[in-house]
Amino acid sequence: MADHLMHNYAPLPVTFVRGEGAWLWDADDRRYLDALSGVAVCGLGHAHPAIAGAVAEQARTLVHTSNWYHIAKQETLAAKLTTIAGMDNAFFCNSGAEANEAAIKLARLHGRQKQIDTPTIVVMDGSFHGRTMATLTATGNPKVQAGFEPLLPGFVHVPYNDVDAIEQLAAEGNDIVAIMVEPITGEGGIRIPADDYLPQLRRLCDAHDWLLIADEIQTGMGRTGQWFAFQHSDIQPDVMTLAKGLGNGVPIGACLARGRAAGLFQPGQHGSTYGGNPLVCAAALAVLETIEHEHLAARAGWLGQHMLNRLHESLAQTPGVIECRGKGLMLAVELDRPCGELMQQALERGLLINVTAGNVVRLLPPLILSDEEAEQIINGVSELIKGFLA
Ligand code: PLP
């Protein structure tokens, strides 16, 4: 059957048929502990009753009408999201890449308003922003771009966590209109910048009238211990993008804006047929309520810190381990060699993990993880890595 799928994925040899909480089951009823959450998507775990209930009820009531009409749940969701994010308004779409496309279009409109004909967005080496032409151009990974040239004009890459490089660009007086940044890189290997990195970017944006765009698609929705990772610093972005954990698996993305950025789109300048329909908004509203009522962001913060401490204890002295790092439930163990095969080895032991950037074991477990499950993940991952490096 897979013969009829394009060959853009290389799936591991397993098919899951159901899930519950942090667990997935295959067709032979073998269970797997999920330390990946569908790549930071199912933050509330699988088959969460609140989400399942909200989706089922909405499916029985009204799935889709289009954005030609008001959508009450979309307006409620926008109000709640903007309140917790300190933003002014929201546009809803279906994925992270689309959320970033909206952000890029806002940046270009901002440039046009300033009479800049070739608006340029500063983006980071090692970043990941998506697979559409604009977002793969923004992405700082040549592997994602290879074969798809010509890339789009209007992006300039600088090293991550390097404020001087941007200062230099500003001094050269080119047509910069925005900085787009992941507060912690996800696909790029869970790289955590200096504490003053985002504040410095904010300062530069204020000084030059640029927009600060935070890509919170992987870091958002409580995963790092705050609703959004920028909230660890004392700053506000002008634009923020979300997807992944916002719908817990129901496809929804969002681009939130503030201040001048919130007034840039005029009717007809952007849109999406499905974006923010009643079904996905019902799911996202249930996600927000659940994270809030169950205090899951705070839980992600302290459980993640505990898991990181445990990773340090068990792996920091192991030859071949370069670093254990993380924030909340975004955890990484960087090895001194490529280790892609660990995903298959973990699968064989009933554990789902990921390897990113070639040599970084990445853990993105659900926020509802129990203490025992957290311990199981740490023990499993430590054994696996020690065996691999031995
Ligand atoms: N931005 C970041 C930081 C991501 O991690 C991802 C996906 O991994 C994306 C954007 C793209 O999101 P999507 O795959 O939903 O288009």
Side-chain angles (χ1 to χ4, degrees), residues 39 94-98 100 128-131 135 182 184-187 215-219 241 243-244 362:
V39 200
N94 316 287
S95 67
E98 283 172 278
N100 284 337
F128 184 82
H129 297 296
R131 302 280 189 168
T135 58
E182 292 164 87
I184 297 172
T185 68
E187 305 305 297
D215 179 341
E216 293 260 7
I217 287 162
Q218 193 156 144
T219 50
T241 54
K244 290 192 181 277
R362 176 172 55 159

Side-chain angles (χ1 to χ4, degrees), residues 93-160:
C93 51
N94 316 287
S95 67
E98 283 172 278
N100 284 337
E101 287 278 343
I104 291 164
K105 287 176 75 171
L106 287 179
R108 289 190 168 190
L109 284 179
H110 174 65
R112 296 281 158 184
Q113 282 198 347
K114 299 201 312 169
Q115 320 293 332
I116 294 175
D117 291 333
T118 52
T120 301
I121 303 175
V122 178
V123 286
M124 311 306 159
D125 293 338
S127 63
F128 184 82
H129 297 296
R131 302 280 189 168
T132 61
M133 280 311 303
T135 58
L136 76 81
T137 302
T139 290
N141 178 353
K143 280 193 198 146
V144 173
Q145 299 168 335
F148 302 110
E149 300 83 358
L151 303 181
L152 297 193
F155 296 91
V156 56
H157 285 88
V158 296
Y160 191 60

